[in-house]
Amino acid sequence: MEMALQPRTPPFCRMTLFGGTRLEVRPVTQSLLWCKEFTRIRIMPPVAAGSEYSRRRPRRSSIPPMKDSHPRGFAPRPQVGTGMQKKDQSEVEQKEGSSKYSLSSSGINERKVAGEEQTTKLDSVSGISGRAVKRRVDILEGVEEKSYREDDKDQKTFIGMSSVAADDYETDGQRAEDEEDQVGLRKQHLGVIDMIATAGKQPTASLSEKKEEEAVVESDVEISKNEELGKIDEHAAITESDMEESVMKQKADIDAQAHKQMLEHLADENFSSGNKVFVVPEVVKSDEVVEIFFNRSLSALMNEPDVLIKGAFNGWRWKFFTEKMHKTELQGDWWSCQLSVPKEAYKIDFVFFNGGNIYENNNSKDFSLLVEGEMDELAFENILLQEKQRELEKLAAEEAERERQAEERRRREADKAASEADRAQAKVEVEKKREAFHRVMKLAESVDDVWHIEPNAFKPGDRVGLYYNRSSRPLAHATEIWIHGGHNNWIHGLSIVERLLRSEKKDGDWWYAEVVVPDQALVLDWVFANGPPQKANVYDNNNSQDFHATVPNCVPGDLFWVEEEHRIYRKLQEERKLKEEAFRKKAEKTACLKAETKERTMKMFLLSQKHIVYTEPLDIRAGSMVTVFYNPSNTVLSGKPEVWFRCSFNRWTHHRGPLPPQKMVLADNGSHLKVTGKVPIDAYMMDFVFSEREDGGIYDNKNGMDYHIPVSGGILKEPPMHIVHIAVEMAPIAKVGGLGDVVTSLSRAVQDLGHNVDIILPKYDCMNLSNVKDFHFRRSFGWGGTEIKVWFGKVEGLSVYFLENGMFSVGGIYGRNDGDRFGFFCHAALEFLLQSGSCPDILHCHDWSSAPVAWLFKEHYMHYGLSNARVIFTIHNLEFGVHHISKAMTHADKATTVSHTYSKEVSGNPAISPHLFKFHGILNGIDPDIWDPFNDNFIPVSYTSENVVEGKKAAKEALQQRLGLRRSDMPLVGIISRLTVQKGIHLIKHAIWRTLDRNGQVVLLGSAPDPRIQNDFVNLANQLHSSHSDRARLCLTYDEPLSHLIYAGADFILVPSLFEPCGLTQLIAMRYGSIPVVRKTGGLYDTVFDVDNDKQRAQAQGLEPNGFSFDGADPGGVDYALNRAISAWYDGRDWFNSLCKRVMEQDWSWNRPALDYMELYHAARK
């Protein structure tokens, strides 16, 4: 129930208090301010009157009577002034040396009479002259007169105060009257003090002594008077504070009674109206406390002993609460509880219950109260979204920390495993060296007539003489003799090199050299030569066994091998760390290059239709403002007087629904219209179309695709789709042509966008399962009277289900009753999805081989458990299976082919022409991980666009060396193709001869499925290898590593296809910095922009020219493109190198096609 509680006027009443005093009860919110206005009140301490008080004669008052009558002794103090006024007043009081007391005129007269009587008595007792006593009394009266003058000022100030306030102080005036009497008694007390002060004085004292005594007495009286008055003033201040508390308590009591009367009035009123609930204050505001009242007798809880309230705020979405209610003192069965309203609230929702299962919920509508404040539903939605964003950020941070810790554990485990492997390897190497060392030790004995060492006892670090007798040895006739030596079976290579000198020994042709025994040497190893290293050509190596000598006083053998093992281990550790660091740096750079490429591609994607629509800023951020610019002149709305913008978010699923249509206004550039709006913080996609009128009319909806622009920085992410590809090829495990590459690469790219992708594939008996990870049997199911086994594994990171049946065990992918086999496979794939309970969003089938999926799904499975799916059909090549393609086009929700131009070229085909409204062209891409010159193990030097010149030069030299071509700097044309008529084989032959005529080199890699064409190229190869062996090489086979080397080493890649649906060769060529030379057809036209003729066409795609192209299918066309390309290489090498760098930086991966396919998937589901 929505309770609209209207505000009431605060209650007003008059009450009788303290003998008829009339008080005005103000609203509660004003009561404290009301009290503050009258907190300073002049008061006097109460005193008891003396026995002679009633007989004192009256004295003339020095205070004039007031016009308004007030009780005796009531002299209210003025309202408190400013700080400066207080300071000035205090200074005046200090100068006067007195406290201000409010006394009535009658009190002054009475005190004067009493003073005279006291003087008479003192004179008779002490003998002090009447004149001296009178002087002291006059002093006291003078002090009193000062106080009277101050009070007279207070009375005059008080005349202007309200009568209502004066009434409140009537009883306090009576106290002031009593305090006058106390001052009179104080005077009597001072007189007694005077009498005591003069006691013991001689009555016969001289006149001068009496005067001195009078002066002393007057001084003492003045001091005593000040002390006494100070005590009185202190007591007055304390009493003033008590009075403030008393007044506050009185007001609180009055407010409480007024509040009770108000509640009783509201309770009576609501009960009479049949309302179960009311709230105080009646206007509920945020960040305040309210009291909710509930009448049990009017509810389903009328017989329940306990009443509780359960609720939340803002539609039951914020801060749930449960509070116990208490019985009130109001007349009737009213219960209440207090509730604190948070500042985020705009509504309170609640019900009442008994703590169990009995509820009062306003006839299932619940109770609700509107809350006044700065919050509304829209603002609260943003708060919820911000809360969710913070929660998601927290969860993301926690997940990142878990991943970091898991990665750290994996790293530690990997380090531990690598360390253990290094230790094991060190042990193995030491053992091998030890065995070799023992074999050498057997040879380490001197031959007296050939060599010996002096002295024969030495240790590492000693200098020894090594003698050699060259008589009858290989160096007998050498002019120089050198020792090339090492130690411990050459463990550290060459460490001793010395030239020998002739010795004076007579018993032979002895030569010697002094050498230093290396540290850690157990045995010395050497040979003799006729010169130093790199120059010697005659050696004496002891018949290939080398010379060896043990070191007598060396370190113990066991200790040496322990140290050697440690040395090998440390070396292995250092080598491993260097490799890991190099790998890490390379991986980081690869990731950086990928990210940069993706960023450029996304920018190009957003700008691809700038001639129609674009946004500012280009990168739309959630929670920010965005302006959409639209040029209707290039659309169906051209010439319309008005254009309306119709927008929503998150694929038209945003919870706020579509925004109201907005009329677009002319932008500053004059050619575009614009509209500005705010993007919600939970947006991940902005969706819009344009119409000619506010109520619709003609729409520009991008041919049914709608316009969609990604939004970044939002708290929500796009929900993942589940896409299932049903295909008969998949690279690298079952690949025949480009179909297998597309299935794998497209699936990986879409999966990288955060979607779930599965692939269903036949389990061929010829399949290479070594590329399948975690391959295992999953289940089996029966269908069509046969059993089908399901296997599962990961291929290139993708989930693949393999369906096994005898029909697929024919020794190959194609070639035997393919129509029946693949028809059975398509039906089995749909049956597997149905029986496994899978609910994919998209079923994507490819070419004629899996085309049956489209009609089998619509005819047999769409209404039986797979209704959520939509069918996408892609034509890779219209040359085969036209009947199947035509039937699939009829049943598919959306259809594509592999380039925009090819879709136009085949649009007239009878299988396609009836379905052009759902037929789209989307370019294929290449896998940037497979084709990556920075991480390619088949080329000699890794390179990027930054060092493309050096990288390609090294690759060209390696290619020339491998194929036996002349190693010289000349233009090299590469051709990588299947040799079929479609690929323009007659143009390939002409291009080979034309390249040789221009003094270039040519390399061809490919084979022909047609034996006649294959033999034709074999003959051509023999001819070229004979006449141009140093400049031409035809490799008529398939060689994957060689293809990588050709892409990297060639300057140009020729693709002269007669028709080409997409083509990957030209895309791979540009990835490696090779310039494509192509015929203008299909995907070749969509991807290669001629440097001389296509600048504007490239600019429209957000690109720059990147190659050479030609029309026609004759040799003249090839010459036109090829001559320009080779001339550019010869004449403008710097420009050509910059062109190589440019094409490497263009993104021809699946980044952009994956975005286009996702748009198509969503359009199919719209």
Side-chain angles (χ1 to χ4, degrees), residues 796-810:
E796 299 291 327
L798 297 166
S799 297
V800 183
Y801 295 90
F802 302 87
L803 303 187
E804 182 181 13
N805 183 271
M807 297 184 71
F808 308 128
S809 300
V810 295

Side-chain angles (χ1 to χ4, degrees), residues 457-460 551-555:
F458 56 90
K459 64 182 184 299
V551 179
N553 300 321
C554 61
V555 296

